[in-house]
């Protein structure tokens, strides 16, 4: 029998919308979309389609948990639901609110070199502004104010991983936050995903055949259920060259924060 309109609209039998078992909390431009899409290869993962912004936007949080759950995908009982909203990591209130929902939830945090992240953040805003016919500035004009590093620039603030992490650690033990190395995920996604499978207690299902390197894109793309796809063109954009002196100022400002972060998470990264 053919499908009727109703069949295609109603959810598959035995599925329901459930609050997330795991949340990708950030960081913005860390590779959050790549992580979610790659994790979604796993048959026991049901990923939310859009960024929900429930715990970081007051007007959404005020709508309550039922509103939140409605935005989750339909999933089978053996699956886990995952949502990603990169703004959670840098939100002052998100950790407390997430703990209030589920204190044993597993959190995923994907980070990349914080200097690189600043430039990626700038690049995203630059293209958004171009699309909206707003004026744009050279990155140096945002990074420097009256000859000194403009540490109030939002893109820099978001790269102070130690500050944000210490807020999360007030509400969650370190063991509940798995850090994915976003720089490694770009170069070689499989090992990072295998660590995530273990963290989430998922059977190993993601394989090397699920990835292929796309020369034109310059990034790994996904092969799953007979389909091949790369991330949207807004992911993996070329970055502007930044004035060397300004770049050094930024790196040395972030260095201390990085070392604080390594201490907090008892792990180090090869950030410059
Ligand atoms: P750039 O566009 O600056 O290179 P997010 O999804 O959190 O916004 O992160 C975007 C970043 O994901 C991209 O930043 C890119 O470097 C990174 N990324 C990691 N793996 C990728 C992949 N397979 N394809 C495209 N981008 C990927």
């Amino acid at each position: 029998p053919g499908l009727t309109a109703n069949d295609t609209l109603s959810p598959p039998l035995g599925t329901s919308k459930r609050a997330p078992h795991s949340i990708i909390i950030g960081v913005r431009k860390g590779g959050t979309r790549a992580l979610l899409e790659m994790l979604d290869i796993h048959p026991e993962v049901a990923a939310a389609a859009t960024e929900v912004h429930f715990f970081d936007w007051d007007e959404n949080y005020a709508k309550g948990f039922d509103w939140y759950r409605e935005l989750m995908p339909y999933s089978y009982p053996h699956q886990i639901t995952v949502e990603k909203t990169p703004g959670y990591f840098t939100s002052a209130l998100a950790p407390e609110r997430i703990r209030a929902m589920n204190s044993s939830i597993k959190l995923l945090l994907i980070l990349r070199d914080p200097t690189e992240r600043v430039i990626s953040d700038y690049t995203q805003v630059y293209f958004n502004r171009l699309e909206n016919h707003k004026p744009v500035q050279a990155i140096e004009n945002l990074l420097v104010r009256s000859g000194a590093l403009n540490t109030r620039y939002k893109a820099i603030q978001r790269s102070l991983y130690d500050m944000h992490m210490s807020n999360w650690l007030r509400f969650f033990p370190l063991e509940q936050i798995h850090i994915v190395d976003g720089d490694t995920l770009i170069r070689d996604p499989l090992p990072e995903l295998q660590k995530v499978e273990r963290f989430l207690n998922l059977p190993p299902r993601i394989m090397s055949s699920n990835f292929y390197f796309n020369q034109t894109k310059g990034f790994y793309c996904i092969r799953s259920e007979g389909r091949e796809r790369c991330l949207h063109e807004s992911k993996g954009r070329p970055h502007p060259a930044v004035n060397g002196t300004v770049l050094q100022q930024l790196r040395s400002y972030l260095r201390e924060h990085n070392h604080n972060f390594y201490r907090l998470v008892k792990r180090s990264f090869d950030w410059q």
Side-chain angles (χ1 to χ4, degrees), residues 212-225:
Y212 66 98
F213 192 79
N214 183 306
Q215 292 293 345
T216 323
K217 180 142 179 97
F219 282 87
Y220 277 96
C221 299
I222 297 168
R223 186 188 295 116
S224 177
E225 294 175 330

Side-chain angles (χ1 to χ4, degrees), residues 122 137-145 240-244 246-247:
Y122 162 84
Q137 297 197 53
I139 187 167
E140 290 83 0
N141 291 347
L142 296 164
L143 286 173
V144 180
R145 280 282 149 84
V242 182
N243 171 287
V246 175
L247 199 60

Side-chain angles (χ1 to χ4, degrees), residues 26-35 38 51 84 86 110 112 116-117 119-121 123-124 182 185-187 189 211 217-222 230-239:
V27 62
R28 176 179 151 109
K29 305 320 289 173
T32 55
R33 176 55 60 186
L35 177 60
M38 290 171 174
E51 289 178 12
K84 79 111 174 166
I110 178 164
R112 70 201 274 207
E116 206 53 39
R117 202 216 66 81
I119 304 169
S120 174
D121 198 327
T123 307
Q124 164 157 307
L185 188 92
I186 292 176
R187 288 193 302 270
F211 306 102
K217 180 142 179 97
F219 282 87
Y220 277 96
C221 299
I222 297 168
C230 298
L231 297 198
H232 186 258
E233 61 179 16
S234 64
K235 306 294 180 183
R237 285 178 175 132
H239 293 176

Side-chain angles (χ1 to χ4, degrees), residues 8-23:
T8 56
L9 285 176
S10 57
L13 211 64
T15 64
S16 60
K17 293 181 174 182
R18 294 173 300 152
H21 302 75
S22 179
I23 301 180

